[in-house]
Amino acid sequence: MFTDRIDIISPGHLPDSLRVDDIRHGKANRRNPTLSEHAFRLLPYRGLGSGIPRALDEWPRIELIDETSGNQFTARVLRPGTQWNGAAAPVAPQVADPVTDPVTDPVTDPVLRLLQTLVNGPLAPSEIQERLTLKHRPTFRANYLRPALERLWIEPTLPGKPNSRLQQYRLTDRGRAQVQ
């Protein structure tokens, strides 16, 4: 995205004998028939080769550039002049102090939920996930478990065996202080 245009770049230049003038008029050549068959069933479809002519009907200021040496195809959508004229003009100085977030509690909601789950004692990760009604393990690890471990609010019961099937997590004193 630029102040005066948006470039949509596709790897690979136009296939076979297809030229820019051809695609302006709706001629198409499917590079991957399997992919286009699935797209036909899954996506809003208005006809093979109809996208660029429809886009040009709506906004004629689109440049189509086939770069065979760079092995890419670019659709350059030029923005209206009124949107970008003077875009490089200096920005007015700051007129007020920045607004600060009134919330100063560093405990995020997902981590707080995790801490509250461990108040009654250590639990296995699968049990914590179940009590939090989370099905996606990567989300649980990234948004709940890892932040709590990094802040030292929870700890593993078997620190030397992180992948053990018997591994559980418990609150630390710092974690208990966050829950109270």
Side-chain angles (χ1 to χ4, degrees), residues 3-53:
T3 56
D4 61 339
R5 70 186 188 278
I6 299 171
D7 284 353
I8 303 166
I9 301 171
S10 297
H13 62 88
L14 291 177
D16 301 330
S17 62
L18 201 60
R19 298 176 328 203
V20 169
D21 197 44
D22 296 333
I23 61 172
R24 284 183 177 279
H25 296 97
K27 185 176 178 186
N29 184 337
R30 297 188 307 174
R31 288 185 194 201
N32 187 334
T34 305
L35 182 62
S36 63
E37 285 300 316
H38 288 290
F40 169 75
R41 289 175 174 68
L42 298 173
L43 301 172
Y45 179 72
R46 297 197 180 141
L48 185 64
S50 68
I52 289 179

Side-chain angles (χ1 to χ4, degrees), residues 114-126:
L114 170 72
L115 299 180
Q116 290 167 339
T117 303
L118 294 174
V119 165
N120 295 325
L123 292 172
S126 59

